[in-house]
Amino acid sequence: MDYTAAQSGFRQRKLQPNMRLRNSSVDGSDGSQLFEDTSGIGPGSQGGYRNQPADPQAAGFSGQSLLSDPMSNLAMAYGSSLASQGREMMDKNLDRFIPISKLKYYFAVDTVYVGKKLGLLVFPYMHENWEVSYQQDTPVAPRFDVNAPDLYIPAMGFITYILVAGLALGTQNRFSPELLGVQASSALVWLIMEVLAVLLSLYLVTVNTDLTTIDLLAFSGYKYVGMIVGIVAGLLFGRPAYYLSLLWCCAAIFVFMIRTLRLKLLSEAAAEGRVVRGARNQLRMYLTMSIAAAQPIFMYWLTYHLIR
Amino acid sequence: MAFTLYTLIQTAILCTNAIAVLHEERFLSKIGWGVEQGVGGFGDDPGIKAQILNLIRSVRTIMRVPLIMVNSACIVLLLLFG
């Protein structure tokens, strides 16, 4: 027993450097202060994490004599180092395809931001300053600036739209569980096609803009809020309420998109409202208006079959 | 209306195939969309026609080999699973 205890102590000391390295790399990537550390046990958690692999092993060794075999000890140490290596490799490769660190920026929201943004999506007429504020060349996180695009509202809006569509179909006795999947995939396909169409038209008009694909995805996802409002009004109060609320939300999202995209797509002179001649600026204006006009069309197209 | 992700993939493959089969000298030059008409002026603004021609040329150059593989995979899958 003493011999195996010494062996296990030796193995644990060899394990710890691996664990510590992985922990410090995780802390380094979170140091950009996108999210506040509300855990409150920051330094303590590292000590706890380091002690944790020791305890189950010690418990295992004292409990079962099967695990006191040095060969299984070696196998366990090898297995856990393989697992940590595999996880590092998967993280590195996944980061190449889906930029996870960039996605984190779009989910750095809080309740006040979501409330203000929802109000802006339904009533954008009183808001004056539509510019995104920057902090030393990087855009400020959405929780500090109500004009910055985020992915939280589009994601939640999409899921809520699927659920509300299921509810609407259920009140008309047309519901079956496969229909939820059909609604979800067709809405997703329309979203992807819209983002691809906008990307293609931005490429053709050679607009030098700092809009990324994820920004376009966020802007295209904002229309789900209006759709949900329309469907819920139609379910509660009937067809006229559906048409009225959809009309209101269509106008609101039209104005919202134009005011947001104007600052990003048009040149500064045209964005300030002065009439600038030239074919290129006219083309950009047409592009902005058609992107904004596509939103109400999609909003009607994706919801009219739900209200009978 | 019942779009699935599979129809999206199908659409993408069909559209890319359609762009890739446009022949340079038999067709595009005849309608004035050849390579030499694409690199017109070196001004600040390439213009929409130059961008489209650039896009067609780059799709043909880059997507030839991947399209061969994707099309073969599609043919085999359709033969096996209908």
Side-chain angles (χ1 to χ4, degrees), chain A residues 185-186 189-190 192-193 200 203-204 206 280 301, chain B residues 1-5 8 45 48 51-52 54-55:
Chain A
S185 54
S186 59
V189 164
W190 280 117
I192 293 178
M193 285 212 290
L200 181 70
Y203 169 76
L204 286 182
T206 60
R280 216 172 64 157
W301 179 263
Chain B
M1 253 305 285
F3 284 137
T4 60
L5 283 178
L8 189 67
D45 185 15
I48 292 194
Q51 291 287 93
I52 297 182
N54 243 345
L55 190 63

Side-chain angles (χ1 to χ4, degrees), chain B residues 47-64:
Chain B
I48 292 194
K49 179 174 166 184
Q51 291 287 93
I52 297 182
L53 298 189
N54 243 345
L55 190 63
I56 294 180
R57 191 160 54 101
S58 41
V59 165
R60 276 185 19 241
T61 318
I62 300 178
M63 298 295 290
R64 272 239 165 104

Side-chain angles (χ1 to χ4, degrees), chain A residues 119-134:
Chain A
L120 208 59
L121 283 169
V122 178
F123 195 78
Y125 308 106
M126 303 290 288
H127 192 71
E128 273 126 21
N129 182 22
W130 292 82
E131 280 196 14
V132 180
S133 42
Y134 284 86

Side-chain angles (χ1 to χ4, degrees), chain A residues 142-153:
Chain A
R143 87 172 51 175
F144 302 119
D145 177 25
V146 84
N147 291 321
D150 71 312
L151 275 181
Y152 176 78
I153 294 181

